[in-house]
Structure formats: C-alpha cells, structure tokens
Amino acid sequence: MALRAPSRCLSSSIPHLGPGSRRLASTAEAPLTAGSNLSSATQQEIQREASLPAPDPPADSATAALIKDQTQYLVATYVRPMPMFVRGEGCYLWDLENRRYLDMTAGIAVTSLGHCDPAISRIFAQQVVPYNLTTPAEDADFIAQSGLLLHTSNLYHQPWVGTLSKLMVTKTREAGGMRSASKVFICNSGTEANEAALKFARKVGKMLNADGSKHEIVSFTNSFHGRTWGALSATPNAKYQKPFSPMVGGFRHGSYNDVESLDRLITERTCGVIVEPIQGEGGINVATPEFLTAIRKRCDETGAVLIYDEIQCGLSRTGHLWAHQLYSSPASSPPPSPHAPQSPGSSSGSAVSNSASFGPHPDIITTAKALGNGYPIGATMVNDYVADKIVTGDHGTTFGGNPLGCRLAHHIFERLSDPSLQADVRRRSEVLRGHLERLKNLFPNIVSSPQQCSLSPSTSSSSSSCPSPLPIQPQSQSPSHQQPGTGREPRIQQRSGSLDGTIRGHGLILGLQLNRDPTPIVTAARERGLLMLSCGTNTLRFVPPLVIDSAQIDEGMSILEEAMRSVE
C-alpha cells in the first residue's frame, strides 16, 4: 500500500520482540476513512491489512525488495508466499518484518523439538566453534567438546556415526519397534534413505535369484517417497513423474489398503515392497492392520524385503517411536539379539522376529526429517537378513554420517525416544482432535467426508480422487482383528480418525478433509499468524512441533476458526 511506512524504517525502529509478543499490523498503520482521495477499493484493502496480525508484506516492503533481488538467481522449483522467515524459537517464527507466526508445519514435520532448541544450538556451536573465540574459559564442559570435526569422509573412522547407529538400533528394539533391527546406513536426506533401501532390496533379490528375475519393487497409490529417480519411480503420481518420464523400470504400483490385490501384486519376482504406515503427502491416509499384516505375510512367502518409509510419520510423531508400533503385538518373549542368527521364514529367509505372527514388523525402516531437527540427515535401518547381503562398495555417500550431523542426531534421537515425550504427544493429540471435531461441526459446508468432497480445479492434489475413508480402530479389538496364530491383539490404542474419514491420523500427524481447495484457508491463517500445510486432495495437514503445548494448540485452532470463517 502506498501509505504504509517503508518496512525497512519500521523494522529498524522496533526493538527485539520475544516469543510472547506479536507485532500487529495495526500499529504500523490506521485505516483510512472519509476525506481520503484514495479509491474505495484501495481504502478497503488498507483496512483489511490493518485488521490482520500478519498480512503478507506489500510490494514496497524490505521483504519484497529482497525477494525481487534474489528470485532471478533461483531455479523456479517452488512457489513461496511473501513472508521471509529470519528467526525462530520453539513453536514460533518471525519474519523479516518482525511479525510472529505460530508454526504448525514444523518445516514439514522436521523441527519436532521446536525452532532453535537451546540444547541443539549448544551442540552445534560446540562442534564447529573453537572455544577460545567465543566461550568463557570457565565453561569447562563446552571447552572439552568444542572445535571438533565437521567432516572426514567415510574413508576414515570417526566416533559419532557408530554411536548414533548403536543408539538407533538399541532404542528401537527397547521401544518394541522393528524387532530384528541390527545395522544402520547414515545419509543426508529422506530420498537418499529410500534410495539406499531400494538398492538394498534389489541386492537381496540378486542374491536370491542370480538370474536377475527377482527385481521388482512394489509401492502404493498416494505414496510419496522422494524426488530422486528411484524414489520418484516408487511414487505413482503423474504430477511428479510425468515431467521426467520414463521412470526406472521394474516398479509396480498397487492400491493402498487393498488386501485382496496383494497376492497378485507381490510375486516371486518381487524383491521389495515400500509402504508408508501413514501417508503424509498423500493425505494423512492410515494403513489398516490387515493391510500391513498381509504385506508382511506375502513378503515372507516370496522372500521380498518389507520397507517402511517412516520419514514423516516416524520418530514419535504418532506418540510411539515408530508408527508401525501401532500395529504390533507385545511379544511373549524378549526380542532376539540383533546379531543372533536368523531362521528362515517360509521360502524367504527373512527374520522370524519380523513375521506376521509378531505384528507386521519391517526388514528396513527409512527415516530423516525430525532426525536432524533441521540439519540434513537421513538413515536406513536394516536387519541382518538385508545387511548380510551388502558388501563394501555396494553403496556409499560423501557427506552422510559426518560428525556434526551424527552428534546432533544422537542428541535428538535420544530425546525423541523418551517415553514421556511420546505420552505428551498422545495427550496433545487428543486436544487437537477435540478442536478438529469442533471445526467439523462449526463448518459442515467446508469440512466433508471423502465421499462428499469434490476436486476443485485449483486444488494442489497428489491424486485424482478424494481419499477413501479409513476404518476406525476401536479401543478393544475383536478376535477377528487379532494377529494370526497369537491370540494377541494389535497395539492400536489411539483413534485413527472420525468414522466418516474427515479426521485422519495418529498422534500429531493429523488431517482434516475439506470439500474445496485449502489454499484460501491456508492463506487466511497465515495472514492471521498461523502457518498451515495442505496435502493429498483438499486436506489440511497438522504436523506441529512435538513440543507444542495445549495453550498453543488452542491459539492455533482459534486462528484457524477465524480463517475458515473468513472464507466460508
């Protein structure tokens, strides 16, 4: 707006704002009324901006000037809204105009411990900064661990990659996750973790069938496994694949939660199956226990490797360390040693401890995102059935497993694996669900079941149809839902969604189904100080930091209600 004071001048005159304060747009300008020579439309736009806590920066702002200068040098792979974020603390971000936003995106499920966590920041500083430049000499602990290595390459040993790997295996098994987890490959991102998993599955197939016939990879509709070529080939979405087709050969795609198709889909030619227990990008779609159990059983029968992509849904986002723990039965005996010999299961040789009788445990888990809380790192955790077939030279990475990333991830994984944090996630989930139920009742013309929703031409969709409703898992399972041959019930305790499919997910990975393009709501929320995500077809995605408290959830949902009312 022409009458807005230049943002650069305003920013320079405003003191540092702490996390408890919010700069209101109305402090920078007042709405114009009678006597102005501006047009009515211009006055209305100024009034609208003045009423919003965080309107997108205008064309004459410092943000707009910086974006204009930089955009000409950036490959146009993203369309970003105007705010430019420069500072964060906990669940809040501040932009270049010093406006505060409650972040319920967590950088797409990354900053689970919040922005600029003090303990993580301290470790980062210790690792990279020589103590004598910045640190008082009396801080002996800081001095002892400061100014260490950033990078050595994997040609040499360094302590943190092994320390992190040991922690991940140990904590996973202690938590009741992947029972036969034994070894870890550390890389730099989620798509790299999935590439490693796909290559490992192909190698297993080659070892079982030297003629190369066992090479097919199976994935499922509405999945998202990454943008590198192998991971993209496992992502059956024309929006992502078409510009780069043809894809890598040997990939087959089935329907998510379609149990009856699995015998035809997973065959003796299948070397691996990759599946998300909860699909994030695809619309917060939750796998049924029957589906994952049937996949595990079919993998045992054919010798295929079962890969769980838990890059978004893992690391305690569901209230359990790994999402697949929601489907697991407590074992009557302790899990075997991670390095104990494994008995063959059916014709496959896969670990008995991962068989369907113990719940649908995987042979490989991939993770990233929250593992670094913003630092780029990923990991592929495997059992000995897989690891025994990988030899020197089969795979590698230049930066993966660097000392800084592994030291940070070690601290982060230890905190995320804390049962008290997981209990907090489950409690906060109930608070958030209560709000979503309330919004569903307040806005029946916006929130609709999947059967009722329709595609808007402007929607940002990862599929061509609305997601199917997923069955609710009741608190107490009937015998028909027990794991085969055990008499033990699955561990699903949390609600997976509303009966009509409008609310889906577990823990703090939840989706709210709309009947229209969510973009106007996301925009209206942002201009009121709330950052939101969409996913799948017309779905609002809720993946806040796991450290969010009930008051912040209340704050966010109050803003979302106002945003939804503004577009109703």
Side-chain angles (χ1 to χ4, degrees):
M1 292 292 101
L3 296 188
R4 182 192 291 267
S7 301
R8 192 184 306 275
C9 299
L10 287 173
S11 296
S12 64
S13 65
I14 294 176
H16 173 84
L17 298 182
S21 60
R22 170 180 285 165
R23 172 187 165 199
L24 299 179
S26 56
T27 63
E29 58 196 338
L32 301 179
T33 54
S36 171
N37 61 357
L38 296 177
S39 69
S40 174
T42 300
Q43 290 190 58
Q44 288 175 4
E45 177 63 17
I46 292 174
Q47 278 190 311
R48 189 192 74 83
E49 282 198 10
S51 70
L52 296 174
D56 285 348
D60 63 348
S61 66
T63 299
L66 190 55
I67 290 173
K68 181 179 180 181
D69 176 65
Q70 294 180 348
T71 300
Q72 59 186 314
Y73 303 106
L74 300 175
V75 177
T77 52
Y78 295 97
V79 176
R80 302 177 176 94
M82 281 293 288
M84 178 177 284
F85 296 111
V86 296
R87 186 166 63 87
E89 185 173 340
C91 295
Y92 294 96
L93 287 170
W94 283 261
D95 69 8
L96 191 62
E97 314 294 321
N98 219 5
R99 285 178 278 222
R100 193 188 75 171
Y101 302 76
L102 176 61
D103 181 15
M104 294 196 77
T105 76
I108 317 181
V110 169
T111 53
S112 288
L113 297 178
H115 296 284
C116 298
D117 176 80
I120 295 173
S121 299
R122 178 179 173 86
I123 290 172
F124 194 99
Q126 280 183 316
Q127 192 76 15
V128 304
V129 181
Y131 76 89
N132 58 343
L133 296 182
T134 61
T135 311
E138 59 268 18
D139 192 344
D141 177 66
F142 193 102
I143 292 171
Q145 300 187 64
S146 66
L148 302 179
L149 286 168
L150 295 184
H151 177 75
T152 61
S153 87
N154 284 296
L155 297 176
Y156 308 102
H157 290 287
Q158 50 89 4
W160 282 107
V161 65
T163 303
L164 170 62
S165 299
K166 179 180 178 180
L167 179 74
M168 291 182 67
V169 168
T170 301
K171 290 291 187 181
T172 293
R173 294 167 61 79
E174 287 177 356
M178 179 179 169
R179 290 174 51 83
S180 60
S182 65
K183 294 180 175 64
V184 183
F185 174 80
I186 305 294
C187 55
N188 307 286
S189 67
T191 194
E192 288 180 58
N194 281 338
E195 290 286 345
L198 297 173
K199 286 181 67 177
F200 293 170
R202 280 272 173 96
K203 181 65 185 297
V204 170
K206 288 288 183 70
M207 295 294 287
L208 294 179
N209 288 62
D211 62 3
S213 61
K214 195 175 188 64
H215 70 279
E216 292 182 346
I217 304 282
V218 169
S219 63
F220 298 94
T221 53
N222 296 316
S223 64
F224 183 86
H225 299 295
R227 295 180 185 268
T228 50
W229 222 315
L232 182 60
S233 298
T235 301
N237 187 323
K239 180 175 72 172
Y240 300 122
Q241 289 188 348
K242 187 176 180 180
F244 310 103
S245 60
M247 293 290 103
V248 177
F251 284 80
R252 302 184 69 192
H253 310 302
S255 296
Y256 197 69
N257 280 331
D258 182 359
V259 174
E260 292 183 0
S261 68
L262 295 178
D263 282 351
R264 299 186 303 274
L265 190 65
I266 304 170
T267 71
E268 293 297 331
R269 297 177 62 85
T270 305
C271 65
V273 178
I274 184 167
V275 62
E276 298 161 275
I278 301 177
Q279 294 181 330
E281 186 70 21
I284 315 300
N285 304 315
V286 182
T288 64
E290 295 85 356
F291 182 59
L292 293 186
T293 300
I295 293 176
R296 176 72 268 174
K297 179 175 181 291
R298 189 61 180 149
C299 285
D300 288 342
E301 292 169 350
T302 62
V305 170
L306 176 53
I307 304 163
Y308 283 165
D309 177 343
E310 296 218 21
I311 290 165
Q312 186 164 162
C313 63
L315 294 182
S316 296
R317 184 149 291 279
T318 62
H320 300 275
L321 181 57
W322 300 109
H324 71 267
Q325 291 174 240
L326 293 163
Y327 306 87
S328 302
S329 301
S332 58
S333 59
S337 163
H339 302 294
Q342 296 177 347
S343 304
S346 300
S347 62
S348 69
S350 62
V352 166
S353 59
N354 279 356
S355 69
S357 62
F358 291 92
H361 285 248
D363 301 299
I364 299 178
I365 299 174
T366 59
T367 184
K369 286 189 179 290
L371 185 59
N373 207 69
Y375 187 91
I377 186 170
T380 307
M381 184 157 48
V382 305
N383 60 19
D384 282 338
Y385 175 62
V386 176
D388 288 348
K389 298 171 180 64
I390 307 301
V391 299
T392 301
D394 278 349
H395 197 51
T397 171
T398 297
F399 297 109
N402 67 78
L404 173 60
C406 288
R407 186 179 173 191
L408 289 169
H410 183 275
H411 170 85
I412 292 162
F413 193 94
E414 195 148 39
R415 287 172 61 182
L416 291 177
S417 62
D418 184 346
S420 63
L421 178 141
Q422 294 160 7
D424 284 342
V425 169
R426 296 192 292 271
R427 284 190 287 268
R428 301 294 181 261
S429 177
E430 291 304 310
V431 174
L432 181 53
R433 282 180 180 278
H435 281 290
L436 297 183
E437 291 284 358
R438 184 176 60 84
L439 292 175
K440 171 185 167 184
N441 294 328
L442 279 175
F443 302 103
N445 59 326
I446 296 177
V447 180
S448 297
S449 67
Q451 300 99 314
Q452 297 170 319
C453 71
S454 60
L455 267 177
S456 162
S458 61
T459 190
S460 173
S461 170
S462 67
S463 64
S464 59
S465 60
C466 295
S468 300
L470 298 170
I472 294 300
Q473 304 308 319
Q475 293 290 326
S476 177
Q477 297 286 340
S478 66
S480 63
H481 287 86
Q482 292 175 351
Q483 299 297 335
T486 65
R488 292 190 295 270
E489 296 176 354
R491 285 183 53 188
I492 291 187
Q493 300 291 324
Q494 300 168 259
R495 293 178 291 163
S496 64
S498 55
L499 287 170
D500 61 2
T502 54
I503 301 169
R504 302 188 293 275
H506 285 282
L508 290 177
I509 177 169
L510 298 178
L512 181 66
Q513 184 64 53
L514 309 183
N515 61 10
R516 62 185 69 179
D517 180 7
T519 301
I521 294 174
V522 171
T523 299
R526 183 180 68 247
E527 293 192 321
R528 289 161 173 79
L530 173 67
L531 300 180
M532 294 285 304
L533 290 170
S534 62
C535 63
T537 301
N538 299 339
T539 303
L540 284 176
R541 172 170 32 171
F542 300 85
V543 284
L546 302 187
V547 295
I548 195 169
D549 61 35
S550 296
Q552 290 166 332
I553 293 174
D554 293 344
E555 175 190 354
M557 294 302 98
S558 176
I559 297 172
L560 179 58
E561 178 183 343
E562 184 182 340
M564 293 176 73
R565 203 172 297 283
S566 74
V567 303
E568 191 177 13

